[in-house]
Amino acid sequence: MPIAFHGGLRTALEKHFDLQKRFRQMDPFLDQVMSPGQCVQFNEAGKDAISSCLGFRSPVGEAPAWFSAVYQRAVGGRMTYQRPVAYQGRVLGAVFVSTNPSAVTARAWSEISRMLALSAATIGALGILVYFVVERALRPTRDVVSGLNRLAAGDLKCRLPPFRLAELQRISHVFNDLANTLEVATSERADLARRLVEAREQERRHLARVLHDELAQSLSAMSATAASIKVTASTDCPSLVPEAQALTETAGNIMKGLRRTVQELRLQEIDDDGLLTSLEGLIGDHNRRGCGKTRFSLETHGDLNTIPPAMTVHIFYIVQEGLTNAAKHAQAANVRAVVRIDLAQGDPPRPGAGLVEATVEDDGAGLAHEIRRETGFGLGLIGIRERTLALGGQMKVVPRPEKGLILSVIIPVTNFPGAAS
């Protein structure tokens, strides 16, 4: 049976109901649930307020000002909460919970800073891992770049190895096919150029032989006839003597020009005297024609007699054309021709193996605009390039550091027919 209290008894019980004492009994519980920097205060009507606070000391110090501003803006500035204490519908007091803003911000900073440190460490570790993974995956690209550089430098025998990555393997296939195509095309072009140069040389020899055997003999006969007319006219018709003398001089001048033409076409002295003597004679001719305005000089390295005879004509023509271009267009004070032969080293050295380098260097105006064509070279330089290609060599035309031009041709001796052992 429920117990019914008289109104006076109930009033007595409520009167002796000590809420502050009950609040004090909750201190152990509050110590467990309260956070550092919080205070719980109980206010009862007609009595002094009592409170329980928990001190705060941040292990990492106060949060930075920028973080405090951002955090308080994000969570709001309210740090005090109030709840009424009621009994039987009547409010007996109120509980206030307040939190130190610095404590909340410092605690949040402590948690977030640890999380950020962990995140930074994780991101750093992932970055290092990704770097090594990507570096390992892209390591074959070094071979690709190296192969492209070698191919650009003219090494058409360069080939790329197979790769595990499908994309790089595709690049390797395309690169190798391109290098193979270029090698075949360059070889065919060099062979065609060599045949053209050989055909041109044969035609030059044939023309020189025709001029020497037919025209030279005819000029000799004409000169002899003119001399005979001069002798006869001196007794029978003296007025014809000047004409006969003029005819003799004309035949002699034509003979001199024909002799120079035949020498340029045949260059017989190269076979007779050797490349070195022929080059020295060529330098002497240019110095005589220059009349001191331009000084031509020759510098040789190695034994030029070891150059295959079939190559000497081409080397002479290359140097001759280089000197002619410098004399016509460079307006230089000094022109230097250098011919160098470097035999391959071995034990024993292989005969016919090595490099021949012919260089013509001047201190003039460089590659003049008026001698350029769409290909970037004058006709003389185009002829040098054709001969160089026919010999399987490389030609470079570069400006000097100071002023002037450097024409350089490098020819492998082993690439020339009959030069290899």
Side-chain angles (χ1 to χ4, degrees):
M1 173 180 292
I3 300 176
F5 293 96
H6 188 268
L9 178 60
R10 178 175 299 177
T11 303
L13 289 174
E14 293 175 355
K15 184 178 180 180
H16 292 87
F17 187 72
D18 193 350
L19 293 179
Q20 291 188 349
K21 182 177 181 181
R22 294 292 183 92
F23 182 81
R24 289 296 187 187
Q25 293 175 357
M26 295 180 63
D27 285 346
F29 172 75
L30 293 177
D31 291 340
Q32 297 295 327
V33 299
M34 290 173 61
S35 299
Q38 281 187 341
C39 286
V40 179
Q41 181 180 355
F42 177 69
N43 292 337
E44 188 178 0
K47 296 183 180 181
D48 295 334
I50 61 174
S51 61
S52 178
C53 297
L54 185 61
F56 168 77
R57 186 181 66 179
S58 175
V60 294
E62 294 185 358
W66 65 267
F67 179 80
S68 299
V70 172
Y71 183 78
Q72 292 181 11
R73 180 181 294 272
V75 301
R78 183 183 177 188
M79 295 294 175
T80 302
Y81 300 89
Q82 177 183 352
R83 288 293 184 269
V85 178
Y87 178 74
Q88 294 288 333
R90 185 165 61 91
V91 177
L92 303 177
V95 176
F96 295 88
V97 179
S98 61
T99 304
N100 187 350
S102 299
V104 176
T105 307
R107 187 164 56 250
W109 172 252
S110 176
E111 297 294 333
I112 292 177
S113 61
R114 286 198 298 266
M115 185 175 60
L116 290 177
L118 179 60
S119 300
T122 304
I123 293 174
L126 289 176
I128 294 175
L129 179 62
V130 170
Y131 170 80
F132 282 107
V133 171
V134 173
E135 193 274 339
R136 179 179 177 84
L138 297 182
R139 189 176 302 169
T141 57
R142 300 176 183 174
D143 297 333
V144 176
V145 175
S146 176
L148 290 174
N149 291 333
R150 291 176 58 186
L151 187 64
D155 184 7
L156 301 182
K157 295 186 179 297
C158 173
R159 298 294 185 273
L160 292 181
F163 301 113
R164 293 182 180 179
L165 195 62
E167 290 77 4
L168 293 179
Q169 181 63 18
R170 175 61 179 164
I171 293 176
S172 176
H173 282 307
V174 173
F175 178 91
N176 292 338
D177 291 342
L178 176 62
N180 184 66
T181 302
L182 288 175
E183 184 180 13
V184 173
T186 304
S187 177
E188 293 176 351
R189 180 186 176 191
D191 183 67
L192 177 60
R194 182 164 51 249
R195 292 171 181 247
L196 291 175
V197 170
E198 291 176 356
R200 184 170 61 184
E201 292 303 320
Q202 292 178 1
E203 185 66 23
R204 290 165 67 97
R205 293 189 183 96
H206 173 72
L207 182 59
R209 184 168 56 251
V210 171
L211 292 176
H212 181 270
D213 295 342
E214 297 181 7
L215 186 58
Q217 292 181 5
S218 299
L219 287 174
S220 298
M222 185 176 67
S223 179
T225 302
S228 177
I229 293 175
K230 178 180 178 181
V231 173
T232 303
S234 61
T235 56
D236 298 341
C237 186
S239 60
L240 294 178
V241 173
E243 285 79 0
Q245 180 65 29
L247 184 61
T248 302
E249 294 177 356
T250 301
N253 293 332
I254 296 176
M255 182 66 71
K256 292 179 181 179
L258 179 63
R259 187 177 297 110
R260 287 195 301 268
T261 302
V262 171
Q263 289 177 351
E264 292 177 357
L265 289 174
R266 292 188 60 183
L267 296 176
Q268 186 67 33
E269 67 272 8
I270 297 180
D271 298 331
D272 298 337
D273 302 332
L275 178 59
L276 178 59
T277 303
S278 301
L279 290 175
E280 291 174 346
L282 180 64
I283 294 296
D285 290 340
H286 277 279
N287 279 321
R288 284 191 296 271
R289 295 175 188 174
C291 300
K293 296 181 179 180
T294 304
R295 179 178 177 273
F296 296 85
S297 61
L298 175 66
E299 182 179 330
T300 61
H301 301 273
D303 187 4
L304 301 188
N305 293 327
T306 58
I307 299 178
M311 289 185 63
T312 55
V313 174
H314 297 283
I315 299 298
F316 183 88
Y317 272 123
I318 290 173
V319 175
Q320 182 187 52
E321 193 61 47
L323 294 175
T324 301
N325 280 339
K328 288 183 177 179
H329 307 290
Q331 300 177 356
N334 296 278
V335 179
R336 182 169 66 106
V338 181
V339 179
R340 182 194 310 269
I341 179 170
D342 294 326
L343 296 178
Q345 300 298 321
D347 190 17
R350 291 185 302 140
L355 293 174
V356 176
E357 180 179 4
T359 303
V360 177
E361 178 179 353
D362 65 75
D363 57 0
L367 193 61
H369 177 72
E370 58 270 13
I371 67 172
R372 296 185 181 183
R373 299 295 184 268
E374 293 181 358
T375 56
F377 298 105
L379 295 178
L381 296 180
I382 292 176
I384 296 176
R385 185 175 60 182
E386 290 177 354
R387 289 182 181 273
T388 304
L389 178 63
L391 299 176
Q394 295 181 350
M395 169 186 165
K396 293 182 180 179
V397 180
V398 296
R400 293 180 71 240
E402 300 85 4
K403 68 172 184 175
L405 201 68
I406 299 177
L407 167 66
S408 177
V409 174
I410 300 178
I411 301 171
V413 180
T414 53
N415 279 7
F416 197 80
S421 58

